[in-house]
Amino acid sequence: MVDFTNHLDGDLLSDLQVKKETFWANDRLKLSGSSESKEMIEAGQLLSRFAPYLKEVFPETGQTSGIIESPVKNLPNMQMSLQDYYQINIPGKLMLKCDNQLPIAGSIKARGGIYEVLKIAETLALKHNFIRKTDDYSVMADRKFIDFFSQFSIAVGSTGNLGLSIGMMGAALGFKVTVHMSREAKQWKKDLLREKGVQVVEHENDFSHAVEEGRNQCTLDPNCFFIDDENSRDLFMGYAVAALRLHKQLEREGINVDQEHPLIVYLPCGVGGGPGGVTYGLKHVFGEHVHCYFAEPVDSPCMLLGLSTGKHEAISVRDIGLSNQTEADGLAVGRPSALAGKMVNEILNGVYTVSDENLFKMLALLHASENISLEPSALAGMFGPTLQVIQRHLESMPRTIGRLNQATHLVWATGGSLVPPSIMSDYITKGKSLL
Ligand SMILES: *Cc1c(COP(=O)(O)O)cnc(C)c1O
Protein backbone atom coordinates (compact mmCIF):
# COMPACT_ATOMS: atom_id res chain seq x y z
CA MET A 1 0.00 0.00 0.00
CA VAL A 2 1.12 3.53 -0.77
CA ASP A 3 2.33 5.72 2.10
CA PHE A 4 0.00 8.70 2.59
CA THR A 5 1.47 10.07 5.78
CA ASN A 6 2.56 13.26 4.01
CA HIS A 7 -0.68 13.76 2.20
CA LEU A 8 -3.65 12.79 4.28
CA ASP A 9 -4.60 13.44 7.86
CA GLY A 10 -4.43 10.17 9.79
CA ASP A 11 -8.00 10.35 11.13
CA LEU A 12 -9.43 11.06 7.71
CA LEU A 13 -7.51 8.17 6.18
CA SER A 14 -8.65 5.70 8.83
CA ASP A 15 -12.28 6.89 8.56
CA LEU A 16 -12.15 6.29 4.83
CA GLN A 17 -10.55 2.88 5.25
CA VAL A 18 -13.19 1.64 7.72
CA LYS A 19 -15.94 3.16 5.52
CA LYS A 20 -17.09 5.57 8.18
CA GLU A 21 -19.12 8.49 6.83
CA THR A 22 -16.82 11.47 6.89
CA PHE A 23 -16.23 15.01 5.68
CA TRP A 24 -13.26 16.75 4.15
CA ALA A 25 -13.20 20.55 4.12
CA ASN A 26 -11.28 22.12 1.25
CA ASP A 27 -8.55 24.32 2.70
CA ARG A 28 -7.63 25.58 -0.77
CA LEU A 29 -11.04 27.22 -1.24
CA LYS A 30 -10.74 30.76 -2.61
CA LEU A 31 -13.55 33.26 -2.71
CA SER A 32 -14.13 35.11 -5.93
CA GLY A 33 -16.95 37.05 -7.51
CA SER A 34 -19.08 36.02 -10.45
CA SER A 35 -17.56 36.19 -13.92
CA GLU A 36 -18.29 35.26 -17.48
CA SER A 37 -17.19 31.97 -19.01
CA LYS A 38 -17.08 32.19 -22.78
CA GLU A 39 -16.80 28.43 -23.10
CA MET A 40 -19.91 27.85 -21.03
CA ILE A 41 -21.90 30.47 -22.97
CA GLU A 42 -20.84 28.92 -26.28
CA ALA A 43 -21.92 25.51 -25.04
CA GLY A 44 -25.33 26.97 -24.22
CA GLN A 45 -25.54 28.49 -27.72
CA LEU A 46 -24.76 25.17 -29.39
CA LEU A 47 -27.57 23.54 -27.41
CA SER A 48 -29.92 26.30 -28.53
CA ARG A 49 -28.99 25.72 -32.19
CA PHE A 50 -29.95 22.08 -31.75
CA ALA A 51 -33.23 22.80 -29.98
CA PRO A 52 -35.37 22.55 -33.16
CA TYR A 53 -33.73 19.20 -33.97
CA LEU A 54 -34.24 17.82 -30.45
CA LYS A 55 -37.83 18.95 -30.40
CA GLU A 56 -38.47 17.03 -33.61
CA VAL A 57 -36.61 13.83 -32.74
CA PHE A 58 -37.47 13.68 -29.03
CA PRO A 59 -41.03 14.99 -28.64
CA GLU A 60 -40.67 14.83 -24.83
CA THR A 61 -38.47 17.95 -25.14
CA GLY A 62 -41.39 19.84 -26.71
CA GLN A 63 -42.50 21.34 -23.39
CA THR A 64 -39.19 23.18 -23.11
CA SER A 65 -38.98 23.87 -26.89
CA GLY A 66 -36.13 21.43 -27.43
CA ILE A 67 -34.05 22.62 -24.48
CA ILE A 68 -33.02 19.74 -22.22
CA GLU A 69 -33.80 21.11 -18.77
CA SER A 70 -35.31 20.01 -15.47
CA PRO A 71 -37.45 21.84 -12.90
CA VAL A 72 -36.59 22.88 -9.36
CA LYS A 73 -38.96 21.88 -6.60
CA ASN A 74 -39.61 22.74 -2.96
CA LEU A 75 -39.29 19.81 -0.56
CA PRO A 76 -41.13 20.91 2.61
CA ASN A 77 -42.27 17.40 3.57
CA MET A 78 -38.88 15.83 2.97
CA GLN A 79 -37.26 18.58 5.02
CA MET A 80 -39.48 17.52 7.95
CA SER A 81 -38.86 13.82 7.34
CA LEU A 82 -35.11 14.31 7.33
CA GLN A 83 -35.27 16.43 10.49
CA ASP A 84 -37.36 13.78 12.25
CA TYR A 85 -35.40 10.78 11.10
CA TYR A 86 -31.89 12.19 11.52
CA GLN A 87 -32.80 14.28 14.58
CA ILE A 88 -31.35 17.50 13.26
CA ASN A 89 -32.61 20.97 12.49
CA ILE A 90 -32.12 22.04 8.87
CA PRO A 91 -32.13 25.84 8.88
CA GLY A 92 -33.26 27.45 5.62
CA LYS A 93 -35.21 25.97 2.77
CA LEU A 94 -34.73 22.56 1.15
CA MET A 95 -35.13 22.28 -2.63
CA LEU A 96 -34.53 19.66 -5.29
CA LYS A 97 -32.99 20.10 -8.73
CA CYS A 98 -34.85 17.39 -10.65
CA ASP A 99 -32.26 16.11 -13.14
CA ASN A 100 -33.89 12.71 -12.64
CA GLN A 101 -36.52 14.15 -14.98
CA LEU A 102 -34.16 15.32 -17.70
CA PRO A 103 -35.54 14.16 -21.03
CA ILE A 104 -33.87 11.54 -23.26
CA ALA A 105 -31.49 10.04 -20.68
CA GLY A 106 -33.27 10.46 -17.31
CA SER A 107 -30.11 11.60 -15.55
CA ILE A 108 -27.61 14.44 -15.23
CA LYS A 109 -25.66 12.74 -18.05
CA ALA A 110 -28.23 14.21 -20.45
CA ARG A 111 -26.35 17.49 -20.00
CA GLY A 112 -22.72 16.62 -20.72
CA GLY A 113 -23.19 13.48 -22.80
CA ILE A 114 -25.72 14.88 -25.20
CA TYR A 115 -23.79 18.12 -25.54
CA GLU A 116 -20.61 16.32 -26.57
CA VAL A 117 -22.41 14.13 -29.13
CA LEU A 118 -24.13 17.18 -30.63
CA LYS A 119 -20.84 19.02 -30.80
CA ILE A 120 -19.26 16.12 -32.71
CA ALA A 121 -22.24 16.08 -35.08
CA GLU A 122 -22.11 19.82 -35.68
CA THR A 123 -18.36 19.84 -36.25
CA LEU A 124 -18.65 17.06 -38.86
CA ALA A 125 -21.63 18.62 -40.61
CA LEU A 126 -19.94 22.05 -40.78
CA LYS A 127 -16.69 20.55 -42.05
CA HIS A 128 -18.48 18.75 -44.87
CA ASN A 129 -20.57 21.83 -45.71
CA PHE A 130 -23.85 20.10 -44.87
CA ILE A 131 -25.05 22.97 -42.68
CA ARG A 132 -24.33 26.52 -41.63
CA LYS A 133 -24.65 27.66 -38.04
CA THR A 134 -27.59 29.87 -39.00
CA ASP A 135 -29.62 26.97 -40.47
CA ASP A 136 -32.57 25.28 -38.81
CA TYR A 137 -30.89 22.15 -37.41
CA SER A 138 -34.05 20.08 -37.62
CA VAL A 139 -32.78 19.11 -41.10
CA MET A 140 -30.39 16.80 -39.27
CA ALA A 141 -33.28 14.43 -38.73
CA ASP A 142 -33.29 13.77 -42.52
CA ARG A 143 -32.12 10.50 -44.04
CA LYS A 144 -29.22 12.27 -45.74
CA PHE A 145 -27.72 13.17 -42.35
CA ILE A 146 -28.34 9.79 -40.81
CA ASP A 147 -26.50 8.17 -43.73
CA PHE A 148 -23.69 10.67 -43.38
CA PHE A 149 -23.23 10.18 -39.63
CA SER A 150 -23.38 6.41 -40.02
CA GLN A 151 -19.86 6.50 -41.47
CA PHE A 152 -18.61 7.57 -38.07
CA SER A 153 -18.52 5.84 -34.74
CA ILE A 154 -18.54 6.98 -31.13
CA ALA A 155 -17.19 4.98 -28.19
CA VAL A 156 -17.51 5.56 -24.46
CA GLY A 157 -16.80 3.82 -21.17
CA SER A 158 -19.55 4.06 -18.55
CA THR A 159 -21.04 2.74 -15.31
CA GLY A 160 -24.43 3.02 -17.06
CA ASN A 161 -25.92 6.49 -17.35
CA LEU A 162 -23.30 8.14 -19.55
CA GLY A 163 -23.64 5.19 -21.91
CA LEU A 164 -27.41 5.68 -21.92
CA SER A 165 -27.13 9.35 -22.71
CA ILE A 166 -24.53 8.99 -25.45
CA GLY A 167 -26.13 5.87 -26.85
CA MET A 168 -29.60 7.40 -27.14
CA MET A 169 -28.34 10.62 -28.72
CA GLY A 170 -25.67 9.07 -30.94
CA ALA A 171 -28.00 6.39 -32.29
CA ALA A 172 -30.73 8.94 -33.08
CA LEU A 173 -28.29 10.96 -35.18
CA GLY A 174 -27.13 7.82 -37.03
CA PHE A 175 -23.72 7.23 -35.43
CA LYS A 176 -22.47 3.72 -34.74
CA VAL A 177 -22.16 3.79 -30.96
CA THR A 178 -20.26 1.35 -28.78
CA VAL A 179 -20.69 1.58 -25.02
CA HIS A 180 -18.17 -0.18 -22.79
CA MET A 181 -20.06 -0.92 -19.60
CA SER A 182 -18.32 -1.54 -16.29
CA ARG A 183 -19.47 -4.36 -13.99
CA GLU A 184 -21.85 -2.04 -12.07
CA ALA A 185 -24.02 -1.26 -15.08
CA LYS A 186 -27.59 -2.39 -14.53
CA GLN A 187 -29.06 -4.93 -16.92
CA TRP A 188 -32.00 -2.71 -17.85
CA LYS A 189 -29.65 0.04 -19.02
CA LYS A 190 -27.87 -2.41 -21.31
CA ASP A 191 -31.15 -3.81 -22.63
CA LEU A 192 -32.52 -0.36 -23.39
CA LEU A 193 -29.41 0.57 -25.35
CA ARG A 194 -29.40 -2.64 -27.37
CA GLU A 195 -33.02 -1.94 -28.29
CA LYS A 196 -31.84 1.38 -29.75
CA GLY A 197 -29.25 -0.40 -31.88
CA VAL A 198 -26.28 0.50 -29.69
CA GLN A 199 -23.46 -2.01 -29.31
CA VAL A 200 -22.94 -2.77 -25.64
CA VAL A 201 -19.70 -4.44 -24.52
CA GLU A 202 -19.85 -5.80 -20.99
CA HIS A 203 -16.75 -5.80 -18.83
CA GLU A 204 -16.20 -7.70 -15.60
CA ASN A 205 -13.98 -4.90 -14.41
CA ASP A 206 -14.56 -1.41 -13.02
CA PHE A 207 -15.14 1.98 -14.64
CA SER A 208 -11.50 2.93 -15.29
CA HIS A 209 -11.08 -0.32 -17.21
CA ALA A 210 -14.22 0.29 -19.30
CA VAL A 211 -12.93 3.76 -20.20
CA GLU A 212 -9.57 2.28 -21.19
CA GLU A 213 -11.27 -0.21 -23.50
CA GLY A 214 -13.24 2.55 -25.21
CA ARG A 215 -10.08 4.59 -25.65
CA ASN A 216 -8.19 1.66 -27.16
CA GLN A 217 -10.97 0.86 -29.58
CA CYS A 218 -10.95 4.39 -30.96
CA THR A 219 -7.22 4.86 -31.42
CA LEU A 220 -7.27 2.26 -34.20
CA ASP A 221 -10.04 3.96 -36.17
CA PRO A 222 -9.72 7.49 -37.64
CA ASN A 223 -13.51 7.75 -37.98
CA CYS A 224 -14.10 6.98 -34.31
CA PHE A 225 -14.69 9.60 -31.63
CA PHE A 226 -13.96 8.66 -28.06
CA ILE A 227 -15.91 10.46 -25.35
CA ASP A 228 -13.52 10.54 -22.43
CA ASP A 229 -15.33 10.80 -19.10
CA GLU A 230 -11.97 11.09 -17.35
CA ASN A 231 -10.73 14.11 -19.31
CA SER A 232 -13.30 15.71 -21.56
CA ARG A 233 -13.65 19.47 -21.47
CA ASP A 234 -16.70 19.30 -23.73
CA LEU A 235 -18.57 17.04 -21.32
CA PHE A 236 -17.59 19.39 -18.51
CA MET A 237 -18.90 22.49 -20.29
CA GLY A 238 -22.12 20.70 -21.22
CA TYR A 239 -22.76 20.15 -17.51
CA ALA A 240 -21.84 23.76 -16.69
CA VAL A 241 -24.69 25.15 -18.82
CA ALA A 242 -27.05 24.03 -16.04
CA ALA A 243 -25.94 27.07 -14.05
CA LEU A 244 -27.08 29.61 -16.64
CA ARG A 245 -30.51 28.01 -16.67
CA LEU A 246 -30.74 27.64 -12.87
CA HIS A 247 -30.07 31.34 -12.47
CA LYS A 248 -33.24 32.13 -14.45
CA GLN A 249 -35.26 29.39 -12.76
CA LEU A 250 -34.51 30.62 -9.25
CA GLU A 251 -35.37 34.16 -10.29
CA ARG A 252 -38.73 32.95 -11.60
CA GLU A 253 -39.33 31.14 -8.30
CA GLY A 254 -38.58 34.35 -6.42
CA ILE A 255 -35.54 32.85 -4.72
CA ASN A 256 -32.78 35.33 -4.03
CA VAL A 257 -29.15 34.35 -4.09
CA ASP A 258 -27.08 37.18 -2.67
CA GLN A 259 -25.01 38.38 0.28
CA GLU A 260 -27.86 37.65 2.72
CA HIS A 261 -29.21 34.52 1.03
CA PRO A 262 -26.57 31.88 0.34
CA LEU A 263 -27.22 29.02 -2.06
CA ILE A 264 -25.81 25.71 -0.84
CA VAL A 265 -25.61 22.96 -3.41
CA TYR A 266 -25.07 19.24 -2.77
CA LEU A 267 -23.92 17.16 -5.74
CA PRO A 268 -23.41 13.39 -6.09
CA CYS A 269 -19.94 12.72 -7.49
CA GLY A 270 -18.63 9.83 -9.56
CA VAL A 271 -15.65 10.66 -11.75
CA GLY A 272 -16.35 14.35 -11.09
CA GLY A 273 -17.25 15.77 -14.50
CA GLY A 274 -20.97 16.24 -13.80
CA PRO A 275 -20.74 17.85 -10.37
CA GLY A 276 -17.51 19.60 -11.38
CA GLY A 277 -19.09 21.18 -14.45
CA VAL A 278 -22.15 22.28 -12.49
CA THR A 279 -19.95 23.76 -9.74
CA TYR A 280 -17.79 25.58 -12.29
CA GLY A 281 -20.93 27.04 -13.87
CA LEU A 282 -22.52 28.00 -10.56
CA LYS A 283 -19.37 29.76 -9.36
CA HIS A 284 -19.25 31.80 -12.55
CA VAL A 285 -22.90 32.76 -12.21
CA PHE A 286 -23.29 33.25 -8.44
CA GLY A 287 -19.69 33.87 -7.35
CA GLU A 288 -19.15 33.90 -3.59
CA HIS A 289 -22.88 33.49 -2.85
CA VAL A 290 -22.91 29.81 -3.84
CA HIS A 291 -21.32 27.00 -1.84
CA CYS A 292 -20.89 23.53 -3.32
CA TYR A 293 -20.32 20.16 -1.66
CA PHE A 294 -19.73 16.83 -3.40
CA ALA A 295 -21.14 13.55 -2.07
CA GLU A 296 -19.55 10.12 -2.61
CA PRO A 297 -20.30 6.58 -1.43
CA VAL A 298 -18.14 5.33 1.44
CA ASP A 299 -16.83 2.63 -0.92
CA SER A 300 -15.86 5.03 -3.73
CA PRO A 301 -14.57 8.34 -2.30
CA CYS A 302 -12.29 8.96 -5.30
CA MET A 303 -12.66 12.74 -5.54
CA LEU A 304 -12.23 13.18 -1.81
CA LEU A 305 -9.03 11.19 -2.04
CA GLY A 306 -7.76 12.94 -5.17
CA LEU A 307 -8.38 16.43 -3.80
CA SER A 308 -7.30 15.88 -0.21
CA THR A 309 -4.00 14.27 -1.21
CA GLY A 310 -3.51 16.58 -4.19
CA LYS A 311 -2.78 13.48 -6.24
CA HIS A 312 -5.91 13.73 -8.39
CA GLU A 313 -5.99 10.96 -11.02
CA ALA A 314 -2.75 9.48 -9.71
CA ILE A 315 -4.61 7.90 -6.80
CA SER A 316 -7.36 5.30 -6.64
CA VAL A 317 -9.60 4.16 -3.78
CA ARG A 318 -7.94 0.75 -4.20
CA ASP A 319 -4.67 2.30 -3.01
CA ILE A 320 -6.24 2.67 0.44
CA GLY A 321 -7.82 -0.77 0.36
CA LEU A 322 -11.37 0.09 -0.72
CA SER A 323 -13.32 -2.08 -3.14
CA ASN A 324 -15.25 0.53 -5.16
CA GLN A 325 -18.34 -1.68 -4.90
CA THR A 326 -21.51 0.20 -4.17
CA GLU A 327 -25.21 0.04 -5.02
CA ALA A 328 -24.84 3.63 -6.19
CA ASP A 329 -23.81 2.51 -9.68
CA GLY A 330 -23.58 6.07 -11.03
CA LEU A 331 -20.95 6.89 -8.41
CA ALA A 332 -18.93 3.65 -8.55
CA VAL A 333 -15.68 5.24 -9.68
CA GLY A 334 -12.31 4.45 -8.11
CA ARG A 335 -10.13 7.06 -9.79
CA PRO A 336 -11.22 10.69 -10.24
CA SER A 337 -11.10 12.78 -13.40
CA ALA A 338 -7.89 14.76 -13.66
CA LEU A 339 -9.70 17.61 -15.37
CA ALA A 340 -12.57 17.85 -12.88
CA GLY A 341 -10.30 17.70 -9.82
CA LYS A 342 -8.12 20.52 -11.08
CA MET A 343 -11.10 22.64 -12.13
CA VAL A 344 -12.78 22.46 -8.71
CA ASN A 345 -9.61 22.54 -6.61
CA GLU A 346 -10.15 26.10 -5.39
CA ILE A 347 -13.92 26.48 -5.76
CA LEU A 348 -15.37 23.45 -3.97
CA ASN A 349 -16.26 23.74 -0.27
CA GLY A 350 -15.67 20.09 0.51
CA VAL A 351 -16.60 16.45 0.02
CA TYR A 352 -18.51 14.09 2.32
CA THR A 353 -19.18 10.38 2.13
CA VAL A 354 -22.44 8.51 2.65
CA SER A 355 -23.23 4.83 3.20
CA ASP A 356 -25.38 2.80 0.80
CA GLU A 357 -27.69 2.20 3.74
CA ASN A 358 -28.42 5.90 4.11
CA LEU A 359 -28.93 6.25 0.35
CA PHE A 360 -31.69 3.63 0.49
CA LYS A 361 -33.23 5.10 3.62
CA MET A 362 -33.45 8.55 2.03
CA LEU A 363 -34.80 6.97 -1.16
CA ALA A 364 -37.71 5.56 0.85
CA LEU A 365 -38.18 8.78 2.86
CA LEU A 366 -38.36 10.86 -0.31
CA HIS A 367 -40.83 8.51 -1.89
CA ALA A 368 -43.04 8.51 1.19
CA SER A 369 -42.90 12.26 1.84
CA GLU A 370 -42.92 13.75 -1.66
CA ASN A 371 -43.79 10.87 -3.98
CA ILE A 372 -40.53 11.32 -5.89
CA SER A 373 -38.56 8.28 -7.05
CA LEU A 374 -34.82 8.50 -7.54
CA GLU A 375 -32.11 5.95 -8.22
CA PRO A 376 -29.79 5.30 -5.25
CA SER A 377 -26.88 7.42 -6.58
CA ALA A 378 -29.17 10.41 -6.86
CA LEU A 379 -29.82 10.52 -3.09
CA ALA A 380 -26.20 11.20 -2.14
CA GLY A 381 -26.75 14.96 -2.19
CA MET A 382 -29.71 14.63 0.19
CA PHE A 383 -27.43 13.58 3.04
CA GLY A 384 -25.55 16.90 3.08
CA PRO A 385 -28.25 19.06 4.68
CA THR A 386 -28.53 16.54 7.55
CA LEU A 387 -24.86 16.82 8.47
CA GLN A 388 -23.94 18.80 11.56
CA VAL A 389 -20.35 18.92 10.38
CA ILE A 390 -21.39 20.77 7.22
CA GLN A 391 -23.57 23.20 9.14
CA ARG A 392 -20.56 23.87 11.38
CA HIS A 393 -18.37 24.31 8.33
CA LEU A 394 -20.77 26.88 6.88
CA GLU A 395 -21.06 28.63 10.25
CA SER A 396 -17.26 28.97 10.31
CA MET A 397 -17.06 30.87 7.04
CA PRO A 398 -17.47 34.65 6.66
CA ARG A 399 -20.00 34.45 3.81
CA THR A 400 -22.40 32.08 5.51
CA ILE A 401 -21.95 32.65 9.23
CA GLY A 402 -25.27 33.56 10.82
CA ARG A 403 -27.13 33.28 7.51
CA LEU A 404 -28.18 29.63 7.35
CA ASN A 405 -31.75 30.54 8.27
CA GLN A 406 -32.02 32.45 4.99
CA ALA A 407 -30.19 29.83 2.94
CA THR A 408 -31.50 27.67 0.12
CA HIS A 409 -30.22 24.08 0.23
CA LEU A 410 -30.38 22.76 -3.33
CA VAL A 411 -30.01 19.00 -3.51
CA TRP A 412 -29.07 17.86 -7.00
CA ALA A 413 -31.15 14.78 -7.85
CA THR A 414 -29.09 13.20 -10.60
CA GLY A 415 -31.13 10.32 -12.00
CA GLY A 416 -34.11 8.03 -11.83
CA SER A 417 -36.93 8.54 -14.29
CA LEU A 418 -35.89 5.68 -16.60
CA VAL A 419 -35.62 3.07 -13.84
CA PRO A 420 -38.20 0.33 -14.58
CA PRO A 421 -41.08 0.43 -12.06
CA SER A 422 -40.44 -3.07 -10.66
CA ILE A 423 -36.81 -2.22 -9.89
CA MET A 424 -37.84 1.09 -8.33
CA SER A 425 -40.33 -0.67 -6.12
CA ASP A 426 -37.58 -3.07 -4.94
CA TYR A 427 -35.43 -0.04 -4.07
CA ILE A 428 -38.27 1.50 -2.04
CA THR A 429 -38.98 -1.78 -0.24
CA LYS A 430 -35.33 -2.13 0.63
CA GLY A 431 -35.16 1.46 1.91
CA LYS A 432 -38.27 1.03 4.05
CA SER A 433 -36.90 -2.14 5.60
CA LEU A 434 -33.84 -0.20 6.77
CA LEU A 435 -35.77 2.66 8.39
C1 LIG B 1 -22.75 9.91 -13.40
C2 LIG B 1 -23.65 10.19 -12.31
C3 LIG B 1 -23.29 11.08 -11.28
C4 LIG B 1 -21.97 11.76 -11.16
O1 LIG B 1 -21.39 12.30 -12.33
P1 LIG B 1 -19.83 12.15 -12.55
O2 LIG B 1 -19.55 12.97 -13.76
O3 LIG B 1 -19.54 10.70 -12.79
O4 LIG B 1 -19.15 12.64 -11.33
C5 LIG B 1 -24.22 11.28 -10.30
N1 LIG B 1 -25.42 10.68 -10.30
C6 LIG B 1 -25.79 9.83 -11.27
C7 LIG B 1 -27.14 9.20 -11.21
C8 LIG B 1 -24.92 9.56 -12.30
O5 LIG B 1 -25.27 8.71 -13.27
Side-chain angles (χ1 to χ4, degrees):
M1 218 173 278
V2 191
D3 178 16
F4 294 104
T5 36
N6 294 328
H7 300 283
L8 200 56
D9 167 63
D11 290 343
L12 181 58
L13 177 60
S14 58
D15 282 356
L16 291 172
Q17 286 178 315
V18 299
K19 302 185 195 183
K20 189 173 158 212
E21 288 167 335
T22 187
F23 171 64
W24 170 76
N26 185 7
D27 54 14
R28 290 184 290 267
L29 177 65
K30 289 208 176 88
L31 289 178
S32 58
S34 60
S35 59
E36 217 176 76
S37 160
K38 196 158 158 265
E39 267 182 292
M40 170 169 68
I41 289 166
E42 284 173 359
Q45 289 166 343
L46 182 142
L47 289 167
S48 297
R49 288 195 292 280
F50 272 96
Y53 167 83
L54 291 170
K55 196 173 147 193
E56 178 149 331
V57 177
F58 296 100
E60 67 265 38
T61 63
Q63 274 191 347
T64 48
S65 308
I67 296 294
I68 300 167
E69 198 40 80
S70 73
V72 290
K73 200 178 179 305
N74 288 319
L75 292 184
N77 301 324
M78 182 62 172
Q79 186 162 0
M80 279 189 287
S81 290
L82 288 173
Q83 294 188 138
D84 281 353
Y85 187 78
Y86 290 106
Q87 291 293 302
I88 179 149
N89 175 43
I90 302 175
K93 178 168 162 163
L94 187 67
M95 294 189 80
L96 195 68
K97 177 61 176 165
C98 306
D99 272 10
N100 56 305
Q101 292 181 33
L102 279 181
I104 307 171
S107 79
I108 189 172
K109 301 298 193 304
R111 300 185 183 280
I114 290 176
Y115 171 71
E116 184 155 353
V117 173
L118 294 177
K119 185 162 177 188
I120 292 169
E122 184 187 63
T123 305
L124 285 170
L126 287 171
K127 187 170 152 201
H128 290 78
N129 292 317
F130 276 31
I131 47 158
R132 282 162 309 185
K133 280 190 181 178
T134 47
D135 288 348
D136 179 335
Y137 280 14
S138 60
V139 293
M140 283 199 231
D142 295 353
R143 190 76 245 166
K144 172 183 148 187
F145 280 90
I146 296 178
D147 290 343
F148 170 61
F149 290 131
S150 71
Q151 308 164 62
F152 302 95
S153 54
I154 293 178
V156 65
S158 172
T159 64
N161 285 338
L162 186 64
L164 262 189
S165 150
I166 282 164
M168 303 285 238
M169 192 64 250
L173 282 157
F175 287 102
K176 290 200 283 282
V177 185
T178 305
V179 176
H180 293 267
M181 289 288 203
S182 65
R183 62 173 178 224
E184 291 79 22
K186 303 291 181 203
Q187 191 59 43
W188 67 267
K189 293 182 183 175
K190 300 178 204 169
D191 295 342
L192 187 56
L193 280 175
R194 288 187 173 125
E195 260 170 52
K196 303 282 169 192
V198 171
Q199 195 190 346
V200 177
V201 185
E202 301 177 59
H203 295 280
E204 266 319 302
N205 228 309
D206 79 357
F207 171 77
S208 308
H209 173 83
V211 170
E212 198 51 44
E213 290 294 313
R215 201 179 276 130
N216 291 341
Q217 182 200 334
C218 268
T219 49
L220 303 171
D221 179 356
N223 283 339
C224 181
F225 297 88
F226 172 56
I227 295 185
D228 189 347
D229 203 10
E230 292 180 329
N231 281 300
S232 167
R233 207 163 169 102
D234 286 337
L235 272 177
F236 193 86
M237 290 301 159
Y239 290 118
V241 173
L244 299 169
R245 314 242 183 95
L246 182 71
H247 185 52
K248 294 190 185 130
Q249 278 182 317
L250 291 179
E251 268 178 10
R252 274 200 297 276
E253 298 282 321
I255 291 163
N256 295 326
V257 180
D258 55 32
Q259 184 81 18
E260 293 304 316
H261 304 87
L263 175 66
I264 303 156
V265 185
Y266 306 89
L267 296 138
C269 178
V271 75
V278 170
T279 297
Y280 168 93
L282 290 173
K283 282 286 175 181
H284 274 84
V285 171
F286 296 108
E288 59 196 20
H289 307 313
V290 68
H291 306 268
C292 299
Y293 293 92
F294 286 0
E296 297 187 302
V298 290
D299 293 274
S300 310
C302 67
M303 189 54 79
L304 193 163
L305 205 54
L307 287 172
S308 60
T309 58
K311 286 178 174 285
H312 298 291
E313 80 286 3
I315 192 168
S316 154
V317 300
R318 285 170 191 282
D319 297 334
I320 61 164
L322 293 174
S323 71
N324 185 28
Q325 292 198 325
T326 163
E327 276 298 312
D329 50 315
L331 314 182
V333 177
R335 193 183 290 283
S337 152
L339 174 77
K342 286 164 193 159
M343 296 290 276
V344 301
N345 201 23
E346 295 180 350
I347 59 175
L348 185 68
N349 273 30
V351 188
Y352 62 86
T353 59
V354 52
S355 68
D356 282 13
E357 192 174 311
N358 274 317
L359 294 179
F360 279 100
K361 285 178 175 175
M362 293 183 292
L363 189 152
L365 288 174
L366 185 66
H367 178 76
S369 62
E370 305 274 357
N371 197 23
I372 296 173
S373 301
L374 301 180
E375 60 184 277
S377 302
L379 273 307
M382 196 66 83
F383 202 48
T386 75
L387 294 174
Q388 197 104 56
V389 62
I390 288 194
Q391 291 188 14
R392 277 203 304 273
H393 187 236
L394 288 164
E395 284 294 351
S396 75
M397 294 191 300
R399 301 284 158 197
T400 37
I401 185 167
R403 298 195 176 101
L404 287 190
N405 279 320
Q406 298 126 250
T408 302
H409 301 271
L410 185 68
V411 170
W412 213 279
T414 46
S417 67
L418 294 187
V419 178
S422 67
I423 294 175
M424 188 56 79
S425 106
D426 291 348
Y427 286 158
I428 294 165
T429 308
K430 178 169 175 179
K432 274 190 197 152
S433 74
L434 294 167
L435 287 170

